Amino acid sequence: MAKYGFRPVTRDDFPMLAGWLRQPAVAEWWKDTDQQIASLGEALDDPAMHLLIVLRENQPVAYVQHSVAAHWNEPHYDAAGTPDGTIAVDVFSGPDGMGHGGEWLNAVAEHLLERAPALIIDPDPANLRAIRAYEKAGFQGTRVVPNEDGEPARIMTRHR
């Protein structure tokens, strides 16, 4: 397995992240690049959020944002019945991360599970490529519930 690392996102990363968000495989699920970048700027200023660039052999390959799931008081997170301290994760891949999602997601999970009892991720049930990568990284779950916007979300978790 390749060596993975992490570094915090900075505003200097936004042009790269915007390019990643415009990739057809990402844009299908992360709509409106300009709005997404604005949201990343807000998240960067929110002390409850943690934004990371995943590095594969020191090259950026993916984006991860995470926070304690309970911070958001999302009903679909509550429905998962995960323990206190569970971390909610959102991710997308850069071009160099495509085809390696299971690997870098596993590295992310191992990194975050050093300090959390469980992780939760909530892909669109139609996003089969992401779901396969999450499964390769040890996430499990088939339950579909409405997310905060009323859209279907497949609840997947990975425990320490």
Side-chain angles (χ1 to χ4, degrees), residues 2 6 8 13-14 35 47 64 85 92 105 107 132 145 148:
F6 310 93
D13 293 315
F14 286 11
Q35 175 56 41
V64 176
F92 58 83
L105 283 161
R132 280 191 302 272
V145 297
E148 69 275 12

Side-chain angles (χ1 to χ4, degrees), residues 30-42:
W30 290 69
K31 310 280 188 210
D32 191 347
T33 298
D34 293 337
Q35 175 56 41
Q36 293 295 341
I37 292 297
S39 293
L40 295 182
E42 292 171 13

Side-chain angles (χ1 to χ4, degrees), residues 66-101:
H66 64 91
S67 62
V68 175
H71 175 77
W72 303 107
N73 196 25
E74 299 288 349
H76 68 290
Y77 291 160
D78 294 341
T82 55
D84 287 344
T86 294
I87 292 178
V89 182
D90 283 311
V91 301
F92 58 83
S93 183
D96 293 335
M98 296 285 180
H100 302 279

Side-chain angles (χ1 to χ4, degrees), residues 9 18 26-27 31 36 42 62 69-70 82 88 105 112 130 136 140-141 146 153 157:
V9 170
V26 177
K31 310 280 188 210
Q36 293 295 341
E42 292 171 13
T82 55
L105 283 161
L112 295 177
K136 286 179 184 176
Q140 299 177 338
T157 59

Side-chain angles (χ1 to χ4, degrees), residues 16-17 24 27 31 54 58 60 98-99 111 113 145 155 157 160:
M16 174 184 69
L17 295 173
K31 310 280 188 210
V54 180
N58 294 317
M98 296 285 180
H111 174 70
L113 288 171
V145 297
I155 301 300
T157 59
R160 190 180 303 152

Side-chain angles (χ1 to χ4, degrees), residues 93-136:
S93 183
D96 293 335
M98 296 285 180
H100 302 279
E103 284 183 18
W104 64 258
L105 283 161
N106 185 59
V108 167
E110 289 178 1
H111 174 70
L112 295 177
L113 288 171
E114 290 175 2
R115 62 183 176 275
L119 306 177
I120 188 168
I121 198 159
D122 58 353
D124 185 305
N127 191 347
L128 299 179
R129 180 182 297 164
I131 290 168
R132 280 191 302 272
Y134 302 148
E135 289 172 339
K136 286 179 184 176

